[in-house]
Amino acid sequence: MIHFQNVTKDFDNQTALKDISFSVDKGQMVFLTGPSGSGKTTLLKLIYLAERPDNGEIIIDGYDTSQIKDSGIPLVRRSIGIVFQDFRLLENRTVFENISIALRIRGIGEKETKTRTYDVLKNVNLRHKADSYPKRLSGGEQQRVVIARAIVPEPVILLADEPTGNLDPDTAEGVMNTFKNVHAKGTTILIATHNRELYRNTGNKVLRLDSGNLIGEEFGR
Amino acid sequence: MIAPYALKLAVQSLLKEKWINLLSVMTIGAGLLIISVSFFALYNIDIATKKLPKKFSMNVYLDNNLQQDRLDSIMDAIRKNRAVLSVRYISKDEAMKELKSYLKNSDYILEGLEENPLPDSLEIKLRKDATGRETAQQLAREALKIKGVAEVDYGENFLTTLTAIKKGFNAIGLVFAVILSTGIIFVCYSTVKILFYRRTEEIETFKLLGATKGFIRTPFLIEGAFIGACGGLLSLAGCFSLYYTVLLRLSVTMPVFKAVLFPANLFLPLPVIGMLLGLAGATIALGRIRY
Ligand SMILES: Nc1ncnc2c1ncn2[C@@H]1O[C@H](COP(=O)(O)OP(=O)(O)O)[C@@H](O)[C@H]1O
Ligand SMILES: [Mg+2]
């Protein structure tokens, strides 16, 4: 589903990712870990084509991304749900609007948009916050809105960047349970985190980055 | 088809940035109003000058003491011209009589004249459908060639001047309209650009979530078109209120203005014109923004 072959990415002569190769199979839940600045966010950006590699090959859902023109990017992104590290919530729109926009972008009609948005709001226990604005929410609530927006279109791939970054352990567990439910439906998931609690004893594949190098592929135990 | 959600986004943005939008609408409205008023003036000048030549008649002055058969042949020659409706002979005595009746009580001016200084003449009326300047000119040229014709007076200078003025006005009007239309497009262009930059953050997020260019652009096109149409509507209202408050009132005291025509039907497309200009501005703006 996600395949990197000798991928390198530089920023102004500084290497962010060096000769990275790995695969995530369809339906797999994989963790990406490493200290901050090790290149996790950059790797995710390469997947949703916010960045392009300087070298190497990236294949997403069977498509060689080097063949995808700018006009084809929206189509790729519609098969991906993204939990951004910096949330990217729309401040002047309600929680409902923030989530439903993901469906509207995909051209889904008004009625279906409503039912699906309210369903996912229930799913993340935010039904009562539908008409609130993001600023009025706690960090954990905001995080769940971002997750709801990522999963509501039922993407084939879910990318999550530090989804438990500033959460207390209980809330973090709730977030992980949401991911597990999505995973159970067959979604391929890649989670970037420096929190080892998330993958400990899960048996899931863990990719370990350090200063842009992939230094290990192990299984969480 | 316009997705209802694009419409919703457009309406939201129009309301949110209502001051910028109001200012743009007013600017566009003023611009279109100026264009309309100029057009209105040109339209009336055109109508007025088109009416003029229809009342037009031509005077052919004859040599003194022509023989009757010479006179008949001159009149026959002129009648042969297809532009001529009627030819009337006015003898110098008749002309003097007409002049005297015209002067009425002031006919002392003519006292002391021993001999009638007026020439015999022909008054030619032209057909309604043949009243162009060229026709008159040609007829005058032909008449002058006839033996016995001394002079032809068809108000050439007046017609030439009038046509030149008309052409000048039309040219100025056209330049004016082009400049103002460009200005209106530019206003819409800037407005859409401002609206766009105020929402770059949101647009960036939309893109990351998989929005196509069309999804992002459509609301701005709607906004541009709407602002333009509102400007057009405003100018339309301006035209009608100017007509009803200013012109109609003026024509009560100054009957000259009664002759002024108000082509209401020709002003009705103003909102559509505004919409197209707005759409053009928005399209240019979106074409030039890199995102
Ligand atoms: N847009 C950018 N321009 C320049 N340098 C960048 C940019 N994005 C990331 N980097 C650099 O690339 C390295 C990896 O960053 P990042 O992928 O954000 O790491 P992580 O998500 O693991 O903390 C860092 O050294 C960072 O400074
Ligand atoms: Mg990061």
Side-chain angles (χ1 to χ4, degrees):
Chain A
M1 188 56 77
I2 302 170
H3 182 77
F4 274 53
Q5 194 67 51
N6 306 110
V7 173
T8 297
K9 176 70 190 172
D10 298 323
F11 289 116
D12 333 302
N13 303 324
Q14 186 202 350
T15 302
L17 290 173
K18 205 187 306 177
D19 201 24
I20 303 284
S21 301
F22 70 90
S23 286
V24 176
D25 295 336
K26 190 171 167 42
Q28 243 186 338
M29 170 138 72
V30 173
F31 290 87
L32 182 63
T33 191
S36 80
S38 58
K40 302 185 291 296
T41 299
T42 304
L43 193 150
L44 295 184
K45 280 183 178 169
L46 288 169
I47 296 174
Y48 60 85
L49 305 181
E51 297 286 358
R52 297 285 199 162
D54 293 307
N55 252 310
E57 197 180 48
I58 301 173
I59 295 174
I60 308 294
D61 200 7
Y63 293 100
D64 179 352
T65 57
S66 68
Q67 302 299 314
I68 297 170
K69 292 196 203 105
D70 282 358
S71 59
I73 291 176
L75 217 60
V76 176
R77 290 188 182 156
R78 286 188 207 183
S79 63
I80 304 175
I82 309 165
V83 179
F84 300 99
Q85 186 169 12
D86 53 356
F87 292 179
R88 291 203 152 270
L89 289 171
L90 310 171
E91 294 301 335
N92 52 4
R93 297 187 189 277
T94 63
V95 166
F96 179 89
E97 283 290 325
N98 264 284
I99 295 171
S100 60
I101 192 75
L103 297 172
R104 280 167 171 152
I105 280 168
R106 288 163 174 82
I108 288 163
E110 193 64 27
K111 218 176 142 192
E112 190 184 342
T113 295
K114 256 191 185 139
T115 48
R116 282 173 72 175
T117 303
Y118 283 124
D119 282 352
V120 82
L121 273 168
K122 259 178 249 160
N123 207 337
V124 295
N125 287 323
L126 284 175
R127 177 66 186 81
H128 58 295
K129 297 284 187 188
D131 297 324
S132 303
Y133 286 85
K135 272 203 182 110
R136 301 250 157 214
L137 303 181
S138 72
E141 287 167 336
Q142 289 183 19
Q143 183 73 71
R144 271 139 63 204
V145 176
V146 181
I147 290 167
R149 182 180 63 189
I151 65 178
V152 72
E154 298 178 358
V156 275
I157 298 171
L158 180 64
L159 305 176
D161 200 351
E162 307 281 8
T164 62
N166 326 299
L167 302 183
D168 61 83
D170 285 348
T171 317
E173 199 186 321
V175 164
M176 281 315 292
N177 282 333
T178 306
F179 287 149
K180 277 177 199 154
N181 290 337
V182 173
H183 181 227
K185 286 186 196 153
T187 309
T188 307
I189 303 184
L190 182 56
I191 301 171
T193 181
H194 55 245
N195 181 358
R196 58 170 45 217
E197 292 303 322
L198 295 191
Y199 50 83
R200 192 144 73 189
N201 299 322
T202 58
N204 288 321
K205 180 143 100 177
V206 179
L207 303 169
R208 190 173 295 279
L209 281 177
D210 191 20
S211 328
N213 295 295
L214 186 60
I215 56 166
E217 237 188 87
E218 60 208 74
F219 290 90
R221 57 187 88 254
Chain B
M1 194 202 81
I2 298 162
Y5 192 65
L7 201 63
K8 193 177 167 188
L9 284 180
V11 172
Q12 275 175 352
S13 167
L14 282 167
L15 292 176
K16 190 162 163 268
E17 309 286 357
K18 53 181 168 296
W19 296 117
I20 296 174
N21 291 322
L22 204 63
L23 202 68
S24 308
V25 166
M26 273 159 40
T27 314
I28 295 161
L32 282 174
L33 184 63
I34 295 171
I35 293 179
S36 306
V37 169
S38 327
F39 169 77
F40 173 68
L42 290 177
Y43 177 84
N44 273 285
I45 289 173
D46 195 52
I47 297 279
T49 51
K50 264 191 193 137
K51 273 183 191 162
L52 272 180
K54 294 195 176 159
K55 297 173 186 164
F56 187 59
S57 62
M58 192 184 275
N59 289 315
V60 173
Y61 300 108
L62 303 170
D63 291 340
N64 270 334
N65 306 318
L66 282 178
Q67 300 293 330
Q68 184 62 41
D69 58 341
R70 184 68 247 156
L71 178 66
D72 288 344
S73 74
I74 293 174
M75 285 175 70
D76 282 347
I78 290 173
R79 277 202 190 96
K80 269 189 203 136
N81 193 302
R82 286 178 47 231
V84 174
L85 184 68
S86 67
V87 181
R88 185 168 75 99
Y89 173 69
I90 303 170
S91 69
K92 55 162 73 177
D93 297 337
E94 252 176 285
M96 183 50 90
K97 240 191 271 166
E98 277 181 24
L99 185 61
K100 276 183 177 163
S101 78
Y102 178 72
L103 292 172
K104 280 181 191 155
N105 299 334
S106 316
D107 63 356
Y108 56 84
I109 294 169
L110 301 173
E111 271 171 32
L113 284 176
E114 285 170 12
E115 208 180 315
N116 182 352
L118 299 174
D120 296 320
S121 66
L122 299 175
E123 187 191 70
I124 302 172
K125 289 223 163 75
L126 298 176
R127 271 179 204 287
K128 271 191 177 167
D129 56 346
T131 51
R133 192 169 74 94
E134 285 76 17
T135 328
Q137 216 165 25
Q138 193 171 351
L139 184 61
R141 232 183 284 126
E142 276 170 22
L144 264 179
K145 280 188 211 147
I146 305 171
K147 209 176 145 230
V149 172
E151 209 179 307
V152 180
D153 174 14
Y154 67 101
E156 180 181 31
N157 291 339
F158 175 65
L159 273 184
T160 318
T161 319
L162 198 69
T163 315
I165 290 175
K166 218 166 92 179
K167 273 188 183 155
F169 274 155
N170 281 340
I172 292 170
L174 192 69
V175 170
F176 223 58
V178 168
I179 291 174
L180 282 171
S181 303
T182 314
I184 290 168
I185 291 176
F186 183 74
V187 168
C188 294
Y189 164 86
S190 317
T191 309
V192 167
K193 225 169 168 175
I194 291 169
L195 294 175
F196 195 96
Y197 284 129
R198 288 213 171 192
R199 287 177 55 201
T200 34
E201 184 87 12
E202 176 167 296
I203 286 160
E204 185 56 30
T205 304
F206 284 2
K207 277 171 61 195
L208 288 173
L209 294 175
T212 55
K213 273 197 170 179
F215 183 92
I216 290 163
R217 282 179 179 190
T218 310
F220 291 103
L221 292 176
I222 295 173
E223 282 177 68
F226 184 78
I227 291 169
C230 282
L233 215 56
L234 192 68
S235 67
L236 185 63
C239 284
F240 274 86
S241 52
L242 272 185
Y243 176 66
Y244 284 109
T245 60
V246 180
L247 213 60
L248 283 188
R249 213 167 283 176
L250 273 181
S251 63
V252 172
T253 47
M254 287 184 265
V256 189
F257 286 101
K258 279 205 178 109
V260 172
L261 294 173
F262 183 64
N265 285 342
L266 294 180
F267 289 132
L268 289 179
L270 272 174
V272 179
I273 293 170
M275 192 187 84
L276 293 177
L277 293 176
L279 209 54
T283 310
I284 297 169
L286 293 171
R288 295 196 48 170
I289 295 170
R290 292 256 126 253
Y291 60 97

